[in-house]
Each structure stands twice: as C-alpha cells, then as structure tokens.
Amino acid sequence: GAVVSQHPSWVICKSGTSVKIECRSLDFQATTMFWYRQFPKQSLMLMATSNEGSKATYEQGVEKDKFLINHASLTLSTLTVTSAHPEDSSFYICSAREQGLTYEQYFGPGTRLTVT
Amino acid sequence: AQKITQTQPGMFVQEKEAVTLDCTYDTSDPSYGLFWYKQPSSGEMIFLIYQGSYDQQNATEGRYSLNFQKARKSANLVISASQLGDSAMYFCAMRGSTLGRLYFGRGTQLTVWP
C-alpha cells in the first residue's frame, strides 16, 4: 500500500528558532499534499494545500509567512515553522493524494512539535 | 460550505459487541466522498472505509461497515465484534469537489472494555 513518511517524528526547539518538517510519499507520486494541525483531543485542522511546483493555498487564519510550505517534487513537501513560539506546539500531520483519480489520501505518522 | 458533525464525544462498548458511531454531514456538492479514520494514541491516521455519494450499496471492509443514508445525510460507522484494539479516536470526514481536501468531524473516542 501507499506509504507516507514524516521526519522528524518529534522535535523540541527553543522559542524563536525555525523547524522544518518533511513529508514524503515513498512509493507513489503525490501531486497534492495537505498539511494539518491537531491540538490534543481535537480534530484535524487543515492548514494548507500544496501542489507540486506551485504556491501553497493556505486556509483562512493561517499565517503564510510563519508556516512556509514548499512542494518541490512529486514526492516531497516541507513545512517550516519560522520563529516558533510555545503556542505553535502541536501535532502536525501531512497527507498525500496520489496522482490520478484515486479518492484516497494517505496520511503520514505525524510530527509532534514542542516549543520551549 | 461543508460540515461534518459527530455528536458523540465518547462511546463505550464491551468486547465482541457491535457499536455504531454517528456522523452527519452537510454539503451542496452533488458529488462527494465520505471517509472514516481511526486514530490510536500513537497519532497515526488509519483509513478504515470510504463511501462515494453515488454508490448504491453501503461500503463494507471486514468488521467495518458504513450505514449510508443519503436523504438523511448520515454516514454512520458500524464496527462489529469489537476488539480491545479498537479503542481509539474515530473521525468522520468528507471530501468535496474542491482540491480534494477533507473536512473532519470532531471525532468520537471509542473505548472497548473486556
């Protein structure tokens, strides 16, 4: 089956630093990748949709300059949290939609970010 | 606008019993898809089952079945013969026509007890 990986699985960083999270589709080409954020005991909140080779589409209320998304290839998208603050601490999950007409999205295992 | 509603924050079921997790939706898209995902404490999202809006029959995948009632806009998940490993958060989601994004409900925490 299709596999999506995320790296790192968890990260602790100091306030003011930047953190990059990678999302890779391992055995398929993903024309579209999605980035979600999830707080404890809450649902997934879509942050942005990225398409390979074009700028990401951000959801309302998500700061583009703070959450930089790059989808440089059909198998890799990155989310960079710039100048992280404690309120950015969260669980970040990516999903990838396979090129073609498939309905399914494949989720990565998530990255737990803690900003101290 | 798309909306998914899960009204059960928590559900409890005894092992080997069946349980139904409720999900209602609202959309103006003529074509849409409905999904159920399981999220254990590890955080990974596990795809369980999918129902297309034009599918005539209810979807089934092993112990999971989706009770799709289009006129009532409901897509309840039925888990038969519950197992202890079924204890997790369950999310109902809908995919509309725009960019393939998913809209998630708030989730239902299922606890299976021996």
Side-chain angles (χ1 to χ4, degrees), chain B residues 60-83:
Chain B
T60 61
E61 291 284 350
R63 295 186 298 112
Y64 305 106
S65 61
L66 199 152
N67 185 0
F68 181 45
Q69 298 188 42
K70 194 170 183 178
R72 299 180 63 180
K73 294 189 175 181
S74 73
N76 298 339
L77 176 71
V78 180
I79 305 175
S80 63
S82 297
Q83 302 172 356

PDB file of all heavy atoms in Angstrom, chain B residues 60-83:
ATOM      1  N   THR B  60     -18.428  -1.819   2.867  1.00  0.00           N
ATOM      2  CA  THR B  60     -18.021  -2.720   3.951  1.00  0.00           C
ATOM      3  C   THR B  60     -16.547  -3.055   3.773  1.00  0.00           C
ATOM      4  O   THR B  60     -16.056  -3.188   2.644  1.00  0.00           O
ATOM      5  CB  THR B  60     -18.827  -4.030   3.966  1.00  0.00           C
ATOM      6  OG1 THR B  60     -18.598  -4.710   2.719  1.00  0.00           O
ATOM      7  CG2 THR B  60     -20.306  -3.776   4.141  1.00  0.00           C
ATOM      8  N   GLU B  61     -15.856  -3.147   4.912  1.00  0.00           N
ATOM      9  CA  GLU B  61     -14.444  -3.538   4.926  1.00  0.00           C
ATOM     10  C   GLU B  61     -14.213  -4.360   6.177  1.00  0.00           C
ATOM     11  O   GLU B  61     -14.008  -3.834   7.267  1.00  0.00           O
ATOM     12  CB  GLU B  61     -13.512  -2.314   4.957  1.00  0.00           C
ATOM     13  CG  GLU B  61     -13.478  -1.486   3.712  1.00  0.00           C
ATOM     14  CD  GLU B  61     -12.677  -2.127   2.593  1.00  0.00           C
ATOM     15  OE1 GLU B  61     -11.983  -3.137   2.856  1.00  0.00           O
ATOM     16  OE2 GLU B  61     -12.741  -1.640   1.461  1.00  0.00           O
ATOM     17  N   GLY B  62     -14.282  -5.655   6.037  1.00  0.00           N
ATOM     18  CA  GLY B  62     -14.084  -6.520   7.188  1.00  0.00           C
ATOM     19  C   GLY B  62     -15.132  -6.279   8.255  1.00  0.00           C
ATOM     20  O   GLY B  62     -16.322  -6.391   8.016  1.00  0.00           O
ATOM     21  N   ARG B  63     -14.683  -5.894   9.450  1.00  0.00           N
ATOM     22  CA  ARG B  63     -15.619  -5.647  10.547  1.00  0.00           C
ATOM     23  C   ARG B  63     -16.261  -4.261  10.495  1.00  0.00           C
ATOM     24  O   ARG B  63     -17.096  -3.936  11.344  1.00  0.00           O
ATOM     25  CB  ARG B  63     -14.893  -5.821  11.883  1.00  0.00           C
ATOM     26  CG  ARG B  63     -14.409  -7.236  12.160  1.00  0.00           C
ATOM     27  CD  ARG B  63     -13.820  -7.364  13.566  1.00  0.00           C
ATOM     28  NE  ARG B  63     -12.655  -6.519  13.768  1.00  0.00           N
ATOM     29  CZ  ARG B  63     -12.629  -5.461  14.585  1.00  0.00           C
ATOM     30  NH1 ARG B  63     -13.712  -5.119  15.267  1.00  0.00           N
ATOM     31  NH2 ARG B  63     -11.522  -4.756  14.736  1.00  0.00           N
ATOM     32  N   TYR B  64     -15.838  -3.467   9.545  1.00  0.00           N
ATOM     33  CA  TYR B  64     -16.371  -2.112   9.422  1.00  0.00           C
ATOM     34  C   TYR B  64     -17.421  -2.042   8.311  1.00  0.00           C
ATOM     35  O   TYR B  64     -17.198  -2.573   7.230  1.00  0.00           O
ATOM     36  CB  TYR B  64     -15.250  -1.117   9.102  1.00  0.00           C
ATOM     37  CG  TYR B  64     -14.107  -1.136  10.077  1.00  0.00           C
ATOM     38  CD1 TYR B  64     -12.885  -1.699   9.734  1.00  0.00           C
ATOM     39  CD2 TYR B  64     -14.260  -0.596  11.348  1.00  0.00           C
ATOM     40  CE1 TYR B  64     -11.831  -1.715  10.628  1.00  0.00           C
ATOM     41  CE2 TYR B  64     -13.207  -0.616  12.246  1.00  0.00           C
ATOM     42  CZ  TYR B  64     -12.003  -1.187  11.876  1.00  0.00           C
ATOM     43  OH  TYR B  64     -10.964  -1.204  12.782  1.00  0.00           O
ATOM     44  N   SER B  65     -18.495  -1.375   8.589  1.00  0.00           N
ATOM     45  CA  SER B  65     -19.476  -1.096   7.553  1.00  0.00           C
ATOM     46  C   SER B  65     -19.966   0.332   7.729  1.00  0.00           C
ATOM     47  O   SER B  65     -19.971   0.870   8.832  1.00  0.00           O
ATOM     48  CB  SER B  65     -20.635  -2.092   7.595  1.00  0.00           C
ATOM     49  OG  SER B  65     -21.303  -2.026   8.833  1.00  0.00           O
ATOM     50  N   LEU B  66     -20.346   0.919   6.632  1.00  0.00           N
ATOM     51  CA  LEU B  66     -20.808   2.294   6.660  1.00  0.00           C
ATOM     52  C   LEU B  66     -22.295   2.293   6.331  1.00  0.00           C
ATOM     53  O   LEU B  66     -22.686   1.846   5.251  1.00  0.00           O
ATOM     54  CB  LEU B  66     -20.008   3.144   5.659  1.00  0.00           C
ATOM     55  CG  LEU B  66     -20.014   4.655   5.850  1.00  0.00           C
ATOM     56  CD1 LEU B  66     -18.737   5.291   5.303  1.00  0.00           C
ATOM     57  CD2 LEU B  66     -21.234   5.266   5.171  1.00  0.00           C
ATOM     58  N   ASN B  67     -23.092   2.777   7.238  1.00  0.00           N
ATOM     59  CA  ASN B  67     -24.523   2.880   7.045  1.00  0.00           C
ATOM     60  C   ASN B  67     -24.828   4.244   6.425  1.00  0.00           C
ATOM     61  O   ASN B  67     -24.963   5.244   7.125  1.00  0.00           O
ATOM     62  CB  ASN B  67     -25.244   2.716   8.388  1.00  0.00           C
ATOM     63  CG  ASN B  67     -26.753   2.697   8.219  1.00  0.00           C
ATOM     64  OD1 ASN B  67     -27.268   2.809   7.107  1.00  0.00           O
ATOM     65  ND2 ASN B  67     -27.475   2.563   9.313  1.00  0.00           N
ATOM     66  N   PHE B  68     -24.920   4.240   5.103  1.00  0.00           N
ATOM     67  CA  PHE B  68     -25.069   5.487   4.344  1.00  0.00           C
ATOM     68  C   PHE B  68     -26.541   5.740   4.060  1.00  0.00           C
ATOM     69  O   PHE B  68     -27.197   4.941   3.381  1.00  0.00           O
ATOM     70  CB  PHE B  68     -24.291   5.380   3.035  1.00  0.00           C
ATOM     71  CG  PHE B  68     -24.344   6.598   2.160  1.00  0.00           C
ATOM     72  CD1 PHE B  68     -24.161   7.867   2.696  1.00  0.00           C
ATOM     73  CD2 PHE B  68     -24.555   6.480   0.791  1.00  0.00           C
ATOM     74  CE1 PHE B  68     -24.187   8.988   1.883  1.00  0.00           C
ATOM     75  CE2 PHE B  68     -24.586   7.599  -0.034  1.00  0.00           C
ATOM     76  CZ  PHE B  68     -24.401   8.864   0.515  1.00  0.00           C
ATOM     77  N   GLN B  69     -27.055   6.838   4.602  1.00  0.00           N
ATOM     78  CA  GLN B  69     -28.434   7.238   4.326  1.00  0.00           C
ATOM     79  C   GLN B  69     -28.394   8.635   3.731  1.00  0.00           C
ATOM     80  O   GLN B  69     -28.350   9.641   4.455  1.00  0.00           O
ATOM     81  CB  GLN B  69     -29.262   7.187   5.602  1.00  0.00           C
ATOM     82  CG  GLN B  69     -29.338   5.785   6.195  1.00  0.00           C
ATOM     83  CD  GLN B  69     -30.319   5.699   7.345  1.00  0.00           C
ATOM     84  OE1 GLN B  69     -31.421   6.259   7.289  1.00  0.00           O
ATOM     85  NE2 GLN B  69     -29.925   5.010   8.394  1.00  0.00           N
ATOM     86  N   LYS B  70     -28.414   8.656   2.405  1.00  0.00           N
ATOM     87  CA  LYS B  70     -28.178   9.904   1.680  1.00  0.00           C
ATOM     88  C   LYS B  70     -29.238  10.958   1.968  1.00  0.00           C
ATOM     89  O   LYS B  70     -28.939  12.141   2.127  1.00  0.00           O
ATOM     90  CB  LYS B  70     -28.114   9.608   0.179  1.00  0.00           C
ATOM     91  CG  LYS B  70     -27.550  10.727  -0.667  1.00  0.00           C
ATOM     92  CD  LYS B  70     -27.310  10.258  -2.082  1.00  0.00           C
ATOM     93  CE  LYS B  70     -26.679  11.356  -2.926  1.00  0.00           C
ATOM     94  NZ  LYS B  70     -26.392  10.870  -4.304  1.00  0.00           N
ATOM     95  N   ALA B  71     -30.483  10.536   2.022  1.00  0.00           N
ATOM     96  CA  ALA B  71     -31.564  11.505   2.244  1.00  0.00           C
ATOM     97  C   ALA B  71     -31.458  12.146   3.618  1.00  0.00           C
ATOM     98  O   ALA B  71     -31.796  13.318   3.804  1.00  0.00           O
ATOM     99  CB  ALA B  71     -32.915  10.809   2.085  1.00  0.00           C
ATOM    100  N   ARG B  72     -30.960  11.400   4.577  1.00  0.00           N
ATOM    101  CA  ARG B  72     -30.793  11.928   5.927  1.00  0.00           C
ATOM    102  C   ARG B  72     -29.427  12.545   6.138  1.00  0.00           C
ATOM    103  O   ARG B  72     -29.123  13.047   7.207  1.00  0.00           O
ATOM    104  CB  ARG B  72     -31.011  10.805   6.943  1.00  0.00           C
ATOM    105  CG  ARG B  72     -32.398  10.189   6.901  1.00  0.00           C
ATOM    106  CD  ARG B  72     -32.542   9.090   7.920  1.00  0.00           C
ATOM    107  NE  ARG B  72     -32.386   9.570   9.283  1.00  0.00           N
ATOM    108  CZ  ARG B  72     -32.462   8.805  10.361  1.00  0.00           C
ATOM    109  NH1 ARG B  72     -32.696   7.513  10.209  1.00  0.00           N
ATOM    110  NH2 ARG B  72     -32.300   9.306  11.562  1.00  0.00           N
ATOM    111  N   LYS B  73     -28.578  12.448   5.096  1.00  0.00           N
ATOM    112  CA  LYS B  73     -27.214  12.958   5.175  1.00  0.00           C
ATOM    113  C   LYS B  73     -26.475  12.391   6.381  1.00  0.00           C
ATOM    114  O   LYS B  73     -25.887  13.126   7.185  1.00  0.00           O
ATOM    115  CB  LYS B  73     -27.197  14.490   5.183  1.00  0.00           C
ATOM    116  CG  LYS B  73     -27.700  15.101   3.876  1.00  0.00           C
ATOM    117  CD  LYS B  73     -27.488  16.595   3.816  1.00  0.00           C
ATOM    118  CE  LYS B  73     -27.899  17.129   2.460  1.00  0.00           C
ATOM    119  NZ  LYS B  73     -27.691  18.593   2.336  1.00  0.00           N
ATOM    120  N   SER B  74     -26.527  11.096   6.487  1.00  0.00           N
ATOM    121  CA  SER B  74     -25.802  10.449   7.575  1.00  0.00           C
ATOM    122  C   SER B  74     -24.910   9.344   7.019  1.00  0.00           C
ATOM    123  O   SER B  74     -25.218   8.710   5.998  1.00  0.00           O
ATOM    124  CB  SER B  74     -26.754   9.896   8.625  1.00  0.00           C
ATOM    125  OG  SER B  74     -27.418   8.746   8.154  1.00  0.00           O
ATOM    126  N   ALA B  75     -23.822   9.108   7.708  1.00  0.00           N
ATOM    127  CA  ALA B  75     -22.829   8.109   7.283  1.00  0.00           C
ATOM    128  C   ALA B  75     -22.243   7.473   8.538  1.00  0.00           C
ATOM    129  O   ALA B  75     -21.078   7.692   8.883  1.00  0.00           O
ATOM    130  CB  ALA B  75     -21.740   8.765   6.446  1.00  0.00           C
ATOM    131  N   ASN B  76     -23.030   6.691   9.203  1.00  0.00           N
ATOM    132  CA  ASN B  76     -22.615   6.096  10.468  1.00  0.00           C
ATOM    133  C   ASN B  76     -21.684   4.906  10.243  1.00  0.00           C
ATOM    134  O   ASN B  76     -21.873   4.112   9.321  1.00  0.00           O
ATOM    135  CB  ASN B  76     -23.833   5.642  11.272  1.00  0.00           C
ATOM    136  CG  ASN B  76     -24.737   6.806  11.631  1.00  0.00           C
ATOM    137  OD1 ASN B  76     -24.314   7.962  11.634  1.00  0.00           O
ATOM    138  ND2 ASN B  76     -25.986   6.497  11.924  1.00  0.00           N
ATOM    139  N   LEU B  77     -20.715   4.789  11.123  1.00  0.00           N
ATOM    140  CA  LEU B  77     -19.775   3.661  11.068  1.00  0.00           C
ATOM    141  C   LEU B  77     -20.241   2.589  12.042  1.00  0.00           C
ATOM    142  O   LEU B  77     -20.514   2.884  13.208  1.00  0.00           O
ATOM    143  CB  LEU B  77     -18.366   4.119  11.443  1.00  0.00           C
ATOM    144  CG  LEU B  77     -17.313   3.009  11.527  1.00  0.00           C
ATOM    145  CD1 LEU B  77     -16.984   2.478  10.135  1.00  0.00           C
ATOM    146  CD2 LEU B  77     -16.047   3.524  12.216  1.00  0.00           C
ATOM    147  N   VAL B  78     -20.325   1.372  11.559  1.00  0.00           N
ATOM    148  CA  VAL B  78     -20.685   0.246  12.411  1.00  0.00           C
ATOM    149  C   VAL B  78     -19.473  -0.668  12.526  1.00  0.00           C
ATOM    150  O   VAL B  78     -18.917  -1.105  11.512  1.00  0.00           O
ATOM    151  CB  VAL B  78     -21.888  -0.541  11.842  1.00  0.00           C
ATOM    152  CG1 VAL B  78     -22.223  -1.698  12.773  1.00  0.00           C
ATOM    153  CG2 VAL B  78     -23.092   0.383  11.673  1.00  0.00           C
ATOM    154  N   ILE B  79     -19.056  -0.899  13.748  1.00  0.00           N
ATOM    155  CA  ILE B  79     -17.959  -1.835  14.000  1.00  0.00           C
ATOM    156  C   ILE B  79     -18.568  -3.067  14.647  1.00  0.00           C
ATOM    157  O   ILE B  79     -19.192  -2.983  15.721  1.00  0.00           O
ATOM    158  CB  ILE B  79     -16.896  -1.240  14.939  1.00  0.00           C
ATOM    159  CG1 ILE B  79     -16.376   0.090  14.390  1.00  0.00           C
ATOM    160  CG2 ILE B  79     -15.735  -2.227  15.124  1.00  0.00           C
ATOM    161  CD1 ILE B  79     -15.402   0.802  15.326  1.00  0.00           C
ATOM    162  N   SER B  80     -18.414  -4.185  14.007  1.00  0.00           N
ATOM    163  CA  SER B  80     -18.971  -5.428  14.555  1.00  0.00           C
ATOM    164  C   SER B  80     -17.898  -6.145  15.371  1.00  0.00           C
ATOM    165  O   SER B  80     -16.700  -5.953  15.152  1.00  0.00           O
ATOM    166  CB  SER B  80     -19.453  -6.335  13.422  1.00  0.00           C
ATOM    167  OG  SER B  80     -18.352  -6.710  12.602  1.00  0.00           O
ATOM    168  N   ALA B  81     -18.336  -6.933  16.318  1.00  0.00           N
ATOM    169  CA  ALA B  81     -17.420  -7.757  17.127  1.00  0.00           C
ATOM    170  C   ALA B  81     -16.220  -6.943  17.604  1.00  0.00           C
ATOM    171  O   ALA B  81     -15.061  -7.232  17.267  1.00  0.00           O
ATOM    172  CB  ALA B  81     -16.958  -8.967  16.317  1.00  0.00           C
ATOM    173  N   SER B  82     -16.492  -5.933  18.423  1.00  0.00           N
ATOM    174  CA  SER B  82     -15.438  -5.021  18.880  1.00  0.00           C
ATOM    175  C   SER B  82     -14.296  -5.766  19.556  1.00  0.00           C
ATOM    176  O   SER B  82     -14.496  -6.775  20.248  1.00  0.00           O
ATOM    177  CB  SER B  82     -16.034  -4.006  19.863  1.00  0.00           C
ATOM    178  OG  SER B  82     -16.998  -3.214  19.232  1.00  0.00           O
ATOM    179  N   GLN B  83     -13.106  -5.227  19.359  1.00  0.00           N
ATOM    180  CA  GLN B  83     -11.910  -5.774  19.976  1.00  0.00           C
ATOM    181  C   GLN B  83     -11.250  -4.690  20.826  1.00  0.00           C
ATOM    182  O   GLN B  83     -11.448  -3.494  20.597  1.00  0.00           O
ATOM    183  CB  GLN B  83     -10.936  -6.242  18.882  1.00  0.00           C
ATOM    184  CG  GLN B  83     -11.502  -7.284  17.947  1.00  0.00           C
ATOM    185  CD  GLN B  83     -10.592  -7.590  16.772  1.00  0.00           C
ATOM    186  OE1 GLN B  83      -9.541  -6.958  16.597  1.00  0.00           O
ATOM    187  NE2 GLN B  83     -10.976  -8.557  15.957  1.00  0.00           N
TER     188      GLN B  83
END
